[in-house]
Amino acid sequence: MRKTTISRSSAVLLALTLGLPLIGGPALVAQEPQPTVHIVAPGETLWSLASRYLGDPLLWPEIYRINTVVVEDPHWIFPGEELRLQALPAVAMDTTGVIDERAVGVRPPPPTPAPPPPSTGGAPSVFARGTGGAEGFIVSIRGDAYRYKPLRRGEFYSAGFLTEKERLPWAAVVGAVDQPKLRNLRGSSRAQQFEEIELRAPGGATYQIGDSVLVARLGRELDDWGRVVVPTGIARVTALGVGLIRAEILEQFGRINDGQSALPLEPFRDPGSVIPVPVENGAMGRVIARRDLSLLPGQQDVVFVDLGRVAGVVPGDVIEVLRERDARDAFVDVPWEQVGIMTVVFVRERSSSAVLTHINDLGIEAGAPVRLIMKMPS
């Protein structure tokens, strides 16, 4: 038998390039069964997980590839997220770092998804009216319930919201603690994750060390709905001074600089893996606006709708965006057609923030009708 001595990283990359795992042979070190799911802990990254499960941090794209439903940006993973490991290759080698060329096997087939639940009959739901995308959506999340989460912590905090003209206790971001030595080269200061910023608390507000705040940029003003709040990060108070507060940036969603604002962090209540259920004759509303002024809507865009707590909406509910059908279409007896599906991630009194998950057409603009089609169990 001919053996080739190569570095561990090169050997693993060769096998991954060929689409083949490396399995143990008679001379290989016995491997413990690999878990199928990893729960992200604080401080972990795709880099560290690749080092742990694949033996080389440079192989992090392999973990990202099979978890694109959970991980939106490979730079950011959040504690509590469930990452699949089933499709990762089983890497093994002998104690000298020599890989047996005959030890290359075939990749095991992916797990068979659970079949959709049988029909229970009864009155027709909104999915029986030919809306198309929503039916496939509910079947897919039921079939993949082991990894489906109606609400994730990162979405809850990063989506943003409308102030609804409410006077909120905003603190002012004064700037980064570590200022550049040549201040004339940069008119403003910026801070990144794990750096510290200084805040000026509003009158009458009190903070304690350990309190968390949401750092945000106050965007444009919308008639009757107040300012658009665009979160840029989460910080934790580390020191208290006379009129100033020092806080360390724990999570970052965008650029953090002076002139932004901060608000006491609202607690996140994880609903677990509960699945929303279809409802009939759900509440109707309208699109207020898209959070970002992009030319065309895209998946993961944040949309504000005029359905809030007073309408019974809660995070995790599912809303469809509608468009009135052409009256000349005599072959269709449904007055509306679906142009998109959104998941509610943040709720205020009169409005909600929803993330676009499915787009069937581009008619997702201010004034478009929306309807609640799935509700989280109470």
Side-chain angles (χ1 to χ4, degrees):
M1 177 188 70
R2 181 173 60 88
K3 292 187 175 182
T4 303
T5 303
I6 56 178
S7 68
R8 187 181 187 192
S9 299
S10 300
V12 176
L13 285 172
L14 174 61
L16 292 178
T17 303
L18 297 175
L20 302 172
L22 301 176
I23 61 175
L28 301 183
V29 178
Q31 298 290 312
E32 295 181 359
Q34 182 169 276
T36 59
V37 173
H38 176 84
I39 307 299
V40 177
E44 289 184 327
T45 63
L46 292 181
W47 180 277
S48 65
L49 295 183
S51 178
R52 175 178 176 180
Y53 292 109
L54 292 175
D56 193 319
L58 295 178
L59 298 180
W60 65 264
E62 183 71 10
I63 300 179
Y64 173 61
R65 180 182 62 82
I66 63 175
N67 288 284
T68 53
V69 173
V70 177
V71 182
E72 301 171 10
D73 185 337
H75 295 89
W76 305 102
I77 58 176
F78 301 97
E81 288 185 333
E82 298 181 4
L83 302 184
R84 297 171 56 200
L85 302 175
Q86 294 98 320
L88 292 181
V91 179
M93 59 183 64
D94 65 19
T95 57
T96 64
V98 177
I99 297 178
D100 192 338
E101 291 179 349
R102 298 180 304 174
V104 178
V106 295
R107 184 184 295 272
T112 304
S119 173
T120 57
S125 68
V126 292
F127 302 113
R129 297 199 295 268
T131 55
E135 184 172 6
F137 176 71
I138 181 63
V139 170
S140 66
I141 65 174
R142 282 178 174 170
D144 296 339
Y146 67 94
R147 62 180 174 85
Y148 172 76
K149 292 180 72 67
L151 181 65
R152 298 185 177 89
R153 181 179 182 277
E155 295 174 333
F156 178 80
Y157 286 124
S158 65
F161 55 89
L162 298 173
T163 63
E164 298 184 359
K165 292 189 175 297
E166 181 183 356
R167 292 177 61 87
L168 299 174
W170 292 110
V173 176
V174 178
V177 172
D178 296 327
Q179 300 290 341
K181 295 182 179 180
L182 299 178
R183 295 182 60 85
N184 60 331
L185 296 182
R186 192 164 64 186
S188 62
S189 64
R190 299 175 184 173
Q192 298 180 345
Q193 190 175 19
F194 305 127
E195 294 181 349
E196 289 188 321
I197 56 176
E198 285 186 335
L199 308 174
R200 180 177 293 110
T206 58
Y207 286 86
Q208 300 293 329
I209 294 178
D211 289 350
S212 296
V213 297
L214 180 72
V215 184
R217 172 173 54 85
L218 299 183
R220 65 192 187 277
E221 180 97 18
L222 298 179
D223 293 339
D224 302 325
W225 296 102
R227 300 286 293 273
V228 174
V229 178
V230 182
T232 55
I234 295 175
R236 179 174 297 162
V237 176
T238 57
L240 303 175
V242 180
L244 291 178
I245 303 167
R246 180 174 293 189
E248 179 187 8
I249 299 172
L250 302 180
E251 300 178 33
Q252 190 170 2
F253 312 129
R255 179 178 297 174
I256 298 177
N257 53 20
D258 54 317
Q260 295 184 356
S261 303
L263 188 73
L265 194 67
E266 182 173 333
F268 170 69
R269 296 176 175 83
D270 190 347
S273 58
V274 177
I275 297 176
V277 296
V279 295
E280 297 182 41
N281 303 317
M284 295 286 294
R286 296 276 177 180
V287 170
I288 299 173
R290 285 189 280 134
R291 189 194 73 177
D292 303 316
L293 296 174
S294 55
L295 184 61
L296 297 174
Q299 284 189 341
Q300 301 304 312
D301 280 2
V302 176
V303 179
F304 302 128
V305 298
D306 63 355
L307 296 174
R309 297 190 190 101
V310 294
V313 175
V314 299
D317 288 353
V318 179
I319 292 175
E320 64 177 348
V321 185
L322 302 171
R323 179 172 57 199
E324 191 170 3
R325 288 189 182 274
D326 192 333
R328 295 171 296 181
D329 191 350
F331 298 98
V332 180
D333 58 356
V334 180
W336 305 98
E337 62 177 327
Q338 184 190 91
V339 295
I341 299 177
M342 307 182 294
T343 299
V344 175
V345 296
F346 196 91
V347 179
R348 303 208 71 219
E349 196 67 18
R350 298 185 295 123
S351 62
S352 296
S353 308
V355 173
L356 273 169
T357 57
H358 293 67
I359 299 178
N360 303 327
D361 208 329
L362 300 179
I364 305 176
E365 300 295 341
V370 298
R371 175 167 51 199
L372 184 67
I373 58 174
M374 297 175 65
K375 282 285 299 173
M376 292 288 287
S378 57

